[in-house]
Amino acid sequence: MKNVPKDETNNAEMITISRSEYEALKEQTSEQSRQIEWLMQQIRLGQKKRFGSSSERMQEEVMEQLSLLFNEAEAYTQAEQPEKTEVAAHTRKKRSGSLEEILPDNVPVEVVEHRLPEEERICSACDTVMQEIGKEVRRTLVIVPAQVKIREDWYFSYACQTCKAEALETPVLKTQKDKPVISGSFASPEAIAHIMTQKFVMGSPLYRQEQELNRSGVMLSRQTMSSWILRAAEDWLKPVYDQLHRQLVQRSVLHADETTLQVLREPGKTAQAKSYMWLYRTGGDTGQPIVLYEYRPDRKAENPKRFLEGFSGYLHADGYQGYYTLPENITVVGCWAHARRKFDEAVNSLPKSEQKESSAIVGQQYCSKLFAIEEKLKDLSTEERYTKRLELEKPVLDAFLAWAQTKKAAPKSALGKALHYLQEQWPHLTQYLKDGRLELSNNRAERSIKPFVMGRKNFLFANTPNGAQGSAVMFSLIGTAKENNLDPYRYLVYVLTTAPNLDQTQQDWVTQLLPENAPEQCRVPHSQRKCEE
């Protein structure tokens, strides 16, 4: 076998190309590598969103492993480390399975007695009838589905029989009638309130309610139910909504958020086009919270500007640029939950073997540190929280920004997006330091808009703009009722029963219907409130 010299072998495998071709291939390979890495990040993020926990809090063991990283704060700020604050341990009471603890006090008790007939109580020893000496009681919980019945209101008339006998003009008295919730309809406040709460609290669309009623023999169509709730919302709930709106813009701390909604018959738009449901609510500084939704066909910045006309103060919001065109008397406060989410996504876009040593997890830890400090300050007064934030959180913020300015990442990478969001939003993210009433995140608004998002998964879309705005009114009153510890069904029954009989010529007639003035029977018992929390 002939040996081929080494040099000849190498020369046979070598291909000569120009410098320009080499540089082009090198750039093409680098671009392909970046695309592959980006696609791998999207796959890992998709797997995390589908199968992983939705919580963005860092695991305790990871926090412990990375705790030394916070020594960087000293290098950037030369600030003293804050003293540790001891927090008393909290233990949750184990829920009991007894009826006394899971039910309110006013639940009726039905007693069913089981006795032996006399012929079966004959003593086998002396043939005399045995007498009762005791009983054994077994208690069970009975749940009866929604009952359907007809209520007849009889309004009696009265006449003077003496005058009638003497052929005089006979006086007649009639019992005053309560005005119906919908004139000419057999709908009752209880029926309308039930349909509303089933849809907007329990997430049961009208077609499902129709099927359930039909199975019970009640042939009530979804069209009739839709007509009832929209008419009641327009006549009696909308005035309450408008009054709550007037009160909302008088507050000085608000939250805002928005989400998509599909409206099938929107003029000038296709059925697949996006419309929006906007949410505005009060902050945690009030004992009478207000939660209001508004339907709009688009996401233009004019929407919050118009809705918040007359408002002056702080507005918590996410990074949507439309909020930053609001008048100067409205200060937009950024959301650290959104910033943390960006770094959380950057961490989860990496292979697990690379996460602990990554810059992304350092950014995530800075965010988690802020939330940890804020948790310890939640029970302080407004003035104390303001002071403590400057003492404990301001050094962390300064160190975080200094650290972020030293980091570079590809703009389209998850880390690059997180760093860009952080630095772009920084002036708004630090606004919460100005007032102890402000919050670190806009999670309060996100929690309030979640019932609509969950309901949307069931009813999917609205048919018309009027239906969408009617839904906004009903979601608003139900959300405000829940925030004020009212039972939505009982509160709606109260409004729909009381409103038609009020003197609407009086300027403040609607004040009686506000959640803050609802009667005691509308309130959720304290024991049930704890269970919901």
Side-chain angles (χ1 to χ4, degrees):
M1 182 175 180
K2 184 179 179 180
N3 294 327
V4 180
K6 185 175 181 181
D7 292 343
E8 293 182 14
T9 303
N10 292 340
N11 290 336
E13 295 177 354
M14 291 179 62
I15 299 175
T16 303
I17 61 175
S18 65
R19 168 63 65 177
S20 60
E21 291 177 317
Y22 170 76
E23 294 295 339
L25 288 172
K26 184 177 178 181
E27 178 61 28
Q28 182 180 1
T29 303
S30 299
E31 179 61 25
Q32 289 176 342
S33 298
R34 287 193 292 269
Q35 291 179 356
I36 292 172
E37 177 58 27
W38 184 83
L39 290 172
M40 290 302 298
Q41 287 184 4
Q42 302 312 304
I43 291 173
R44 286 189 285 267
L45 280 176
Q47 290 176 331
K48 171 65 168 58
K49 289 179 180 178
R50 184 175 182 183
F51 303 110
S53 170
S54 60
S55 175
E56 295 152 4
R57 294 186 180 183
M58 298 183 70
Q59 298 179 358
E60 292 184 4
E61 58 268 23
V62 177
M63 286 290 290
E64 291 176 0
Q65 292 173 7
L66 297 176
S67 60
L68 295 177
L69 290 176
F70 273 118
N71 290 334
E72 293 185 9
E74 295 180 357
Y76 288 116
T77 64
Q78 303 297 324
E80 296 182 0
Q81 292 290 336
E83 296 181 0
K84 293 183 178 179
T85 303
E86 297 293 335
V87 180
H90 172 72
T91 57
R92 184 184 295 274
K93 181 181 178 181
K94 184 178 179 180
R95 293 182 181 176
S96 171
S98 67
L99 288 174
E100 288 79 4
E101 295 200 10
I102 67 171
L103 295 176
D105 297 333
N106 58 350
V107 171
V109 177
E110 178 185 6
V111 177
V112 180
E113 297 181 347
H114 303 271
R115 287 186 168 88
L116 291 175
E118 184 174 333
E119 59 269 19
E120 295 183 16
R121 292 188 279 122
I122 303 300
C123 177
S124 59
C126 64
D127 292 335
T128 58
V129 179
M130 294 183 179
Q131 303 299 316
E132 286 185 5
I133 60 171
K135 63 184 177 183
E136 179 182 345
V137 179
R138 181 180 66 188
R139 306 188 76 197
T140 54
L141 176 64
V142 178
I143 299 177
V144 180
Q147 295 181 346
V148 177
K149 62 182 179 182
I150 298 175
R151 182 178 66 207
E152 294 184 350
D153 293 296
W154 294 7
Y155 297 94
F156 291 92
S157 302
Y158 304 87
C160 176
Q161 297 304 314
T162 301
C163 292
K164 182 178 180 181
E166 295 178 358
L168 300 175
E169 184 178 352
T170 306
V172 176
L173 291 177
K174 292 185 178 182
T175 307
Q176 185 177 357
K177 295 180 181 179
D178 291 330
K179 293 181 181 179
V181 61
I182 299 176
S183 180
S185 170
F186 57 84
S188 69
E190 292 81 1
I192 297 175
H194 174 74
I195 296 169
M196 286 181 176
T197 52
Q198 285 298 301
K199 179 175 181 179
F200 299 108
V201 178
M202 305 307 297
S204 179
L206 295 183
Y207 79 89
R208 291 185 190 167
Q209 296 189 52
E210 178 187 43
Q211 293 172 350
E212 184 177 2
L213 289 169
N214 290 173
R215 284 192 292 267
S216 302
V218 182
M219 309 310 292
L220 189 64
S221 70
R222 73 189 78 170
Q223 290 80 11
T224 299
M225 290 189 283
S226 177
S227 175
W228 283 359
I229 63 176
L230 289 178
R231 176 71 181 276
E234 178 65 25
D235 290 349
W236 311 121
L237 304 188
K238 184 64 163 54
V240 182
Y241 174 93
D242 292 338
Q243 179 62 25
L244 290 172
H245 184 193
R246 288 189 286 269
Q247 292 185 358
L248 181 81
V249 295
Q250 297 303 313
R251 306 291 176 88
S252 56
V253 178
L254 298 180
H255 294 250
D257 200 3
E258 74 286 336
T259 188
T260 58
L261 173 66
Q262 185 180 358
V263 179
L264 299 184
R265 299 179 183 177
E266 180 74 55
K269 298 173 66 175
T270 64
Q272 294 77 23
K274 288 182 180 179
S275 297
Y276 286 84
M277 189 68 81
W278 295 73
L279 175 129
Y280 307 89
R281 64 151 300 150
T282 52
D285 61 324
T286 176
Q288 297 174 347
I290 298 173
V291 178
L292 296 183
Y293 292 81
E294 186 193 33
Y295 163 74
R296 298 302 300 162
D298 51 50
R299 202 188 184 195
K300 293 181 179 179
E302 288 81 2
N303 294 321
K305 182 178 180 180
R306 178 187 51 79
F307 191 88
L308 295 174
E309 185 177 356
F311 168 68
S312 179
Y314 296 99
L315 178 69
H316 291 80
D318 55 21
Y320 173 50
Q321 294 299 319
Y323 293 115
Y324 304 129
T325 63
L326 292 171
E328 294 182 356
N329 59 328
I330 299 178
T331 301
V332 179
V333 183
C335 175
W336 274 101
H338 280 75
R340 181 174 64 177
R341 194 170 301 153
K342 299 289 185 183
F343 282 100
D344 182 69
E345 291 176 354
V347 171
N348 290 307
S349 69
L350 299 172
K352 287 191 176 295
S353 58
E354 299 178 14
Q355 291 181 0
K356 292 183 180 179
E357 304 298 328
S358 68
S359 296
I361 207 166
V362 178
Q364 186 189 38
Q365 188 196 20
Y366 273 115
C367 295
S368 297
K369 182 68 174 177
L370 292 173
F371 278 93
I373 297 174
E374 195 68 19
E375 179 69 17
K376 297 177 181 179
L377 307 182
K378 65 179 182 179
D379 295 327
L380 299 182
S381 66
T382 298
E383 294 75 15
E384 291 173 329
R385 190 181 301 111
Y386 168 78
T387 303
K388 281 295 183 181
R389 279 173 174 171
L390 295 178
E391 176 187 345
L392 303 179
E393 296 180 14
K394 183 67 164 55
V396 178
L397 289 168
D398 293 341
F400 194 5
L401 179 60
W403 170 85
Q405 291 172 340
T406 65
K407 300 300 175 183
K408 296 184 180 297
K412 292 185 178 181
S413 67
L415 178 59
K417 292 178 180 178
L419 292 171
H420 175 75
Y421 182 90
L422 180 74
Q423 297 184 57
E424 181 188 50
Q425 292 290 312
W426 190 261
H428 308 291
L429 289 171
T430 54
Q431 293 285 7
Y432 80 99
L433 294 175
K434 292 182 176 180
D435 195 312
R437 297 173 299 169
L438 304 180
E439 300 177 31
L440 193 62
S441 74
N442 195 32
N443 284 345
R444 189 178 293 274
E446 292 196 0
R447 287 193 298 268
S448 293
I449 208 170
K450 189 175 181 180
F452 172 80
V453 175
M454 298 299 293
R456 185 183 58 196
K457 293 181 179 179
N458 291 293
F459 57 73
L460 301 180
F461 52 79
N463 194 33
T464 65
N466 286 339
Q469 184 54 30
S471 296
V473 171
M474 286 178 269
F475 267 115
S476 298
L477 263 68
I478 287 172
T480 302
K482 292 167 68 175
E483 285 286 323
N484 285 272
N485 299 316
L486 301 178
D487 174 68
Y489 169 76
R490 294 198 291 268
Y491 174 63
L492 290 174
V493 170
Y494 164 72
V495 173
L496 298 176
T497 302
T498 307
N501 296 287
L502 294 177
D503 183 0
Q504 297 172 41
T505 62
Q506 298 294 322
Q507 187 175 2
D508 59 346
W509 71 275
V510 75
T511 304
Q512 183 178 337
L513 305 175
L514 296 176
E516 62 197 66
N517 297 323
E520 190 62 30
Q521 63 263 26
C522 295
R523 306 201 171 274
V524 177
H526 190 69
S527 57
Q528 288 180 273
R529 201 179 307 164
K530 284 186 175 180
C531 291
E532 290 181 1
E533 295 172 354

